[in-house]
Amino acid sequence: QVQLVASGGAVVQTGGSLKLSCAAKDFSTDLYAIGWGRQAPGKERQGVGCISSSGGRAYYTDDVKGRFTISRNSAENTVYLQMDDLKPDDTGVYFCAAAAYYYCSDANLQLGGFGPWGQGTQVTVSA
């Protein structure tokens, strides 16, 4: 299975912005769909969104649509999650994972088939 590392988490104020990174060590992220999920304390992991293989589009859950943006930088072999207008409900551990390109669509926003989820990065939004 592919190995991905999520990083960039921090403590931010309500209304602030943060950019997370998802980097691959020994494979090209352009060959896969990349998904972002998050887990709040005491809750199950929920999907945030995904981006298809290189040249594809991104999809988002309703609670982050219009505030979060997923993008790729092929030269850096990295996928990013730009988070704007952050809210306290965005607090949680954020993870990224890969899947075949066809797993990323608006019908699979809970990211079935993506994995492994590995180690995430903590995002805390203070109220």
Side-chain angles (χ1 to χ4, degrees):
Q1 294 178 301
V2 299
Q3 181 176 335
L4 293 166
V5 178
S7 63
V11 179
V12 298
Q13 291 184 298
T14 297
S17 296
L18 193 64
K19 190 173 185 178
L20 305 183
S21 298
C22 178
K25 181 178 294 184
D26 56 1
F27 72 99
S28 174
T29 57
D30 288 348
L31 304 177
Y32 298 89
I34 304 297
W36 285 95
R38 64 187 181 184
Q39 186 171 18
K43 298 182 179 179
E44 298 296 320
R45 176 177 49 79
Q46 297 289 314
V48 173
C50 61
I51 188 167
S52 190
S53 57
S54 182
R57 64 156 291 178
Y59 303 86
Y60 307 92
T61 56
D62 287 342
D63 55 346
V64 307
K65 191 177 299 181
R67 299 188 297 120
F68 289 12
T69 304
I70 302 172
S71 62
R72 292 179 178 271
N73 187 315
S74 295
E76 298 177 354
N77 199 28
T78 302
V79 173
Y80 299 99
L81 177 64
Q82 175 68 47
M83 304 183 292
D84 297 318
D85 192 24
L86 283 162
K87 305 174 180 179
D89 284 348
D90 295 319
T91 293
V93 179
Y94 283 69
F95 304 85
C96 60
Y101 76 94
Y102 48 82
Y103 282 95
C104 183
S105 73
D106 58 8
N108 189 32
L109 291 175
Q110 292 306 310
L111 307 180
F114 284 77
W117 288 98
Q119 186 176 24
T121 185
Q122 177 71 43
V123 173
T124 301
V125 183
S126 61

